[in-house]
Amino acid sequence: MAQPEPKIIFRHVNKIFGEGPGAFQAVKDFSLDIAEGEIVTVVGPSGCGKSTVMNIAAGLIPLTDGECLVHGREVKGPGPDRGVIFQQYALFPWLTVRKNVEFGLKLKGIKPEERRTLAEHYIEMVGLSDFADSLPKMLSGGMKQRCAIARAYAVDPEVLLMDEPFGALDALTRVRLQEQLLETWSQDKRTIMFITHDVDEAVYLANRVIVMAARPGRLSKIIKVNLPYPRTDEIRLSEEFIRIRNEVWRGVYSRGADAA
Amino acid sequence: MTKTDKNKRSIFVRMDKLATIGLGIISFILGIGLWWFATYVGSTNLPSPIDVVIRCFELAGNGQLFVDIFASMRRVLIGFLLGVSIAVPIGFLMGWYRLARGLIEPWIQFFRVIPPLAIIPLAIVTMGIDETPKIFVIFLAAFLSSVVATFQGVVNVDRTYINAARVLGASDWVIFRSVVVPASTPFILVGFRIGLGSAWATVVAAELIAAQSGLGFRMQQAQLYYDLPTIFVSLVAIGILGLIMDRLVGRADEYLTRWQEKGTA
Ligand SMILES: Nc1ncnc2c1ncn2[C@@H]1O[C@H](COP(=O)(O)OP(=O)(O)O)[C@@H](O)[C@H]1O
Ligand SMILES: [Mg+2]
């Protein structure tokens, strides 16, 4: 069985911020392959380089050393083939929900009527049809993030990079958005790299959970989640889920794992 | 939020506003009353409010007041519009290009600490005594506050917005046009407001020093003849016009930045 080429490849990636005595190694020798259609979640203590790694794949931060390839091509800068969703939503506050969603479509040169139809579709997908002409300030945190998701999906990226997208939301909204994310994914099977500090969320979403450790930021453990999709409530409450969750928890928090 | 919620809240806001306006009127009447009383009992040699009103009607009746207002407003508007229309592009340039910032900023920081009025002697010597030197110092006042505000606005644009645009495929030019310009608008408008205020202050002072027309000139003339009511009329006109201009820019600001999330103050 021939393995298809991974969608995202990190090969011995190093990132050093600054130069000279003030230089700081944020990521050390990070290597990871993410297969097409896979959901990989990344957990680890704050400051361990999760965002840095993701931003390297997004093309927002240049790497110092090593290689990062997305769909077989070296990452040279950001592009609409990789949708990014930020924790701070990053909606343009001066644009309505509709205009936000249309922003990337416009840059792709899509005609106004088609733009509108497409935007309409994605706004409906995230359940914001009633707020299509509202400004972001009228939306709750969860609605803002749904709008950001619609904006990212609208340009039809092959890869989704999500940096703690649900981190600022209340538990109930978070669970709902997790379910929605998986539901959409079950239809389009996009490749997703998802950063979180929530161990439960990491296990619930992932094919594989990547545990990172700090000082220097590095990959410490890869934990495979052998649970079927769709991830029902039974699965979320199953013993296997809890066992994996505990394993991830120990990977992130136990001193023993960190010292190893 | 349901519709009734919204209605309820807007009623409260309106009642609040009414109360504020009512208090304002009461305070105004009390103040004028106090002034009138002070002049009535002769505890001051200021003109009474009645004298001032009479003089106001005289000056308005013979058109003098409007000629003065027109002369002052004309200088302010020309100087202000020139100032901001040059300040905004330069501010953007400074915020966007390090080179431009490095070259221009030292000059701006230097001229910023010189009160525009202090330029007047130089302006008169080099530009003569007609409109040019006055408009120039007003231009300078408006320019300096707006250029710094624009530049600050660009520098303070949230990186997240820029990154969000970049990952959607935006070029530098698109980022400038669609992110930097709208995101820095609130800063720029604050600069305009301060700029207009300082332009107004500057014009009046400039007219006190060197002019043949305008509200400042009128006060300076009245001073020679110990004509206090005219000084009062001019002062009140300066205050009211300043307030109107500030409100206009304030309204424009509210409208153009209505997308901003305002903290519950
Ligand atoms: N632009 C930068 N300059 C210097 N240090 C940075 C920069 N960005 C991140 N860092 C540092 O790199 C480390 C990793 O950051 P980050 O990837 O944001 O961590 P995480 O997302 O896991 O919390 C942190 O210690 C942070 O302070
Ligand atoms: Mg982070």
Side-chain angles (χ1 to χ4, degrees), chain A residues 42-148:
Chain A
V42 183
V43 286
S46 135
C48 71
K50 304 183 292 292
S51 298
T52 304
V53 167
M54 201 202 79
N55 283 325
I56 286 171
L60 290 172
I61 296 181
L63 44 70
T64 308
D65 198 32
E67 256 187 319
C68 177
L69 296 98
V70 178
H71 3 265
R73 291 190 302 276
E74 193 188 332
V75 172
K76 291 215 177 75
D81 56 314
R82 283 150 289 148
V84 182
I85 292 162
F86 304 90
Q87 176 174 5
Q88 314 88 321
Y89 319 129
L91 293 178
F92 303 123
W94 50 87
L95 298 180
T96 60
V97 166
R98 187 193 308 282
K99 291 269 169 58
N100 263 287
V101 176
E102 284 187 10
F103 189 90
L105 297 170
K106 208 163 154 187
L107 295 177
K108 270 190 155 182
I110 294 172
K111 301 226 163 51
E113 316 87 67
E114 198 187 340
R115 214 151 72 199
R116 196 172 168 96
T117 318
L118 275 169
E120 208 84 49
H121 169 75
Y122 287 101
I123 290 168
E124 200 188 314
M125 181 186 92
V126 297
L128 286 178
S129 298
D130 288 348
F131 294 87
D133 294 305
S134 303
L135 287 167
K137 71 170 180 183
M138 300 303 290
L139 309 181
S140 68
M143 288 156 83
K144 279 182 187 151
Q145 197 55 291
R146 268 146 59 198
C147 178

Side-chain angles (χ1 to χ4, degrees), chain B residues 79-80 82-84 86 134-144:
Chain B
F80 176 75
L82 275 177
V84 298
I86 294 176
K134 274 151 268 172
I135 291 178
F136 177 75
V137 291
I138 294 154
F139 157 83
L140 212 59
F143 172 81
L144 288 171

Side-chain angles (χ1 to χ4, degrees), chain B residues 229-262:
Chain B
T230 299
I231 292 183
F232 265 68
V233 171
S234 307
L235 278 178
V236 171
I238 289 164
I240 290 174
L241 289 171
L243 216 62
I244 290 173
M245 285 191 285
D246 187 63
R247 274 299 148 88
L248 284 177
V249 181
R251 279 291 159 83
D253 182 5
E254 256 168 49
Y255 178 75
L256 290 170
T257 64
R258 63 192 179 284
W259 48 266
Q260 268 191 313
E261 298 209 31
K262 303 249 158 66

